Amino acid sequence: MVRKVLIADDDRVWVALLGARLTAAGFGVEAAYDAMQTLMYATKSVPDAIVLDVRMPAGTGIQALKKLKAHVKTSGIPVLVVSGVDDPRLVEGLKALGAVDFLVKPVKVDDVLKSLQRLFETPGASS
């Protein structure tokens, strides 16, 4: 089964790099470039995981995470946050909202891949 990952980030170069690496690793990839697109794509396609940036246009990643976790269709989707903001209070807040992991930019594409692979290897992870 191919796992679908939604990459939600306004940096199109980062999305292309990460998307290419995830595709090469066997994931299906969709991209959203702002918070509104993220919510729209997530409710429409219900990916297996979301890689979410904090700073995006049309609402923040924090707002998107809150809405994703409040919606019945998307509340169970694991969300990995990747952000250039390195603040322990932010990390705590995002994890309290339901983020499963937090990586600080600049981050290596392979670190995101490893985080997603760990997520899907966890007993009880969605199939």
Side-chain angles (χ1 to χ4, degrees):
M1 176 181 158
V2 174
R3 301 271 189 182
K4 291 187 301 183
V5 177
L6 174 61
I7 304 170
D9 197 308
D10 61 324
D11 182 341
R12 290 178 184 267
V13 173
W14 167 247
V15 171
L17 289 170
L18 180 57
R21 182 66 180 101
L22 294 181
T23 299
F27 289 93
V29 175
E30 290 185 337
Y33 301 102
D34 65 41
M36 291 300 291
Q37 280 184 346
T38 301
L39 297 169
M40 186 176 65
Y41 290 170
T43 55
K44 181 180 175 188
S45 68
V46 190
D48 296 300
I50 299 172
V51 178
L52 179 68
D53 187 21
V54 171
R55 293 184 179 164
M56 291 189 296
T60 67
I62 297 168
Q63 293 166 329
L65 180 60
K66 286 178 184 177
K67 289 179 181 178
L68 287 165
K69 292 303 176 181
H71 194 286
V72 68
K73 255 181 117 171
T74 57
S75 63
I77 300 171
V79 178
L80 165 63
V81 176
V82 179
S83 177
V85 179
D86 186 8
D87 179 347
R89 293 173 299 182
L90 176 64
V91 175
E92 289 173 23
L94 289 165
K95 287 191 175 182
L97 290 173
V100 296
D101 202 355
F102 185 94
L103 298 172
V104 179
K105 287 181 181 178
V107 63
K108 293 178 183 171
V109 170
D110 281 345
D111 290 341
V112 177
L113 175 61
K114 288 175 189 173
S115 183
L116 287 168
Q117 289 171 330
R118 277 192 306 270
L119 173 71
F120 294 130
E121 290 171 359
T122 303
S126 62
S127 300

